[in-house]
């Protein structure tokens, strides 16, 4: 296990390096520059050139990249060219908000997906199974911005149950935080539930047809003893795989949900950086997201060995 961890950590270096090159290149191919946006349309070419020089944007691209990546290796994410603030504290602050929203949304999604996915599998081809499968297809097909808009119009504007308020951490005020995060968390949870429910049903259908399940039935075990005691763990690996991928994507920042509900998370921070051509913000934010995603996938691989001890690295 130790050697496997060392290999996986070492493999992160070329992955993150490739992502950094890709993001840096794409950003500098986008038309426009930060100086023109900051100074406005009435700025003179001399003023734009002077501001670009002060921000180091007049240097060759290779020099800019080497300066940026050297700072990143030293833990210096740089400063925003738009606000002049250090980027790393802002990323960590925004990421904590995204993390709370993601955890809340994933818990809602799993609470819906796993029980109904199991129920759909053990009652395959029944009316219950049909209803669950239709709900799954709807959850996958309907975009999250449409779900979020309906929830926002219905519960916040029409009923007035969850009026828009400033974001509060769960550690500071759980009740107010619940009011802030419940609608965006449900929006994310429905999308999570659809994918996990589909995989849960598929995994359990395959497991329930195994010989050891027939043996458990022949011994007189009840249906729920078989499901919970025998089938659940043996069906967990594909469920954990898709759940881990969804967590990685959501931790990267669900841009649409955060923008729709005015949640100042990491996704919205990166989006603002793109609008303002704030290269350090976008580069640092995307690289941080990539790091989180690969670490989540590493954690999922380690969970495999706990679920199934036969898996060895």
């Amino acid at each position: 296990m130790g050697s496997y961890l060392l290999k996986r950590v070492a493999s992160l270096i070329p992955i993150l390096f490739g992502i950094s090159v890709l993001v840096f290149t794409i950003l500098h191919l986008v038309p426009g520059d930060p100086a023109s946006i900051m100074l406005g349309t009435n700025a003179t070419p001399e003023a734009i050139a002077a501001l670009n020089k002060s921000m180091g944007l007049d240097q060759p691209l290779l020099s800019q990249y080497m300066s940026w990546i050297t700072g990143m290796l030293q833990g210096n994410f740089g400063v925003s060219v738009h606000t002049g603030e250090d980027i790393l504290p802002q990323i960590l602050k925004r990421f904590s908000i995204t993390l709370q929203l993601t955890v809340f949304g994933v818990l809602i999604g799993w609470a819906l997906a796993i029980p109904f996915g199991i129920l759909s599998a053990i009652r395959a081809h029944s009316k219950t199974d049909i209803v669950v499968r239709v709900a799954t297809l709807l959850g996958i097909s309907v975009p999250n911005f449409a779900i979020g808009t309906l929830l926002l119009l219905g519960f916040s504007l029409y009923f007035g149950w969850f009026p828009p308020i400033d974001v509060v951490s769960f550690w500071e005020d759980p009740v107010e935080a619940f009011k802030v995060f419940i609608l965006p968390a449900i929006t994310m949870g429905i999308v999570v539930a659809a994918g996990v429910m589909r995989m849960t049903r598929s995994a359990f259908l395959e497991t329930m047809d195994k010989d050891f399940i027939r043996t458990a039935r022949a011994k007189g075990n009840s249906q729920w003893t078989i499901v919970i005691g025998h089938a659940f763990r043996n069906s967990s690996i594909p469920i954990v795989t898709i759940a881990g991928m969804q967590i990685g994507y959501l931790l990267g920042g669900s841009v649409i949900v955060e923008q729709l509900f005015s949640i100042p998370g990491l996704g919205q921070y990166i989006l603002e950086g793109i609008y303002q051509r704030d290269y350090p913000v976008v580069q640092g934010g995307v690289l941080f997201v990539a790091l989180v995603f690969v670490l989540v996938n590493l954690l999922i691989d380690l969970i495999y060995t706990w679920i199934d001890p036969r898996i060895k690295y």
Side-chain angles (χ1 to χ4, degrees), residues 185-240:
I186 290 175
T187 303
M188 296 170 67
I190 291 174
V191 177
V192 169
V196 175
M197 194 183 303
R198 192 174 187 179
M199 183 58 69
T200 301
R201 180 184 182 276
S202 177
F204 266 83
L205 281 175
E206 183 179 352
T207 302
M208 296 297 285
D209 198 37
K210 300 290 186 181
D211 290 338
F212 68 89
I213 297 295
R214 296 191 188 97
T215 302
R217 285 199 181 102
K219 290 181 178 180
N221 290 316
S222 67
Q223 179 78 317
W224 289 108
T225 300
I226 294 171
V227 169
I228 303 301
H230 299 279
F232 187 80
R233 188 163 186 173
N234 287 277
S235 305
S236 297
I237 287 183
I239 300 172
V240 168

Side-chain angles (χ1 to χ4, degrees), residues 89-143:
Q90 284 296 315
I91 288 177
L92 295 177
K93 178 183 176 181
R94 301 295 189 103
F95 179 71
S96 67
I97 297 173
T98 298
L99 178 62
Q100 294 177 69
L101 177 58
T102 299
V103 170
F104 198 5
V106 166
L107 289 177
I108 291 174
W110 288 354
L112 292 172
I114 295 177
F116 283 105
I118 295 173
L119 185 63
S120 177
I122 64 177
R123 296 185 180 179
H125 310 299
S126 66
K127 292 182 180 179
T128 301
D129 182 31
I130 294 173
V131 171
V132 171
R133 290 164 66 185
V134 170
T136 300
L137 289 174
L138 287 174
I140 294 174
S141 303
V142 179

Side-chain angles (χ1 to χ4, degrees), residues 39 48-49 248:
L39 295 177
I48 293 174

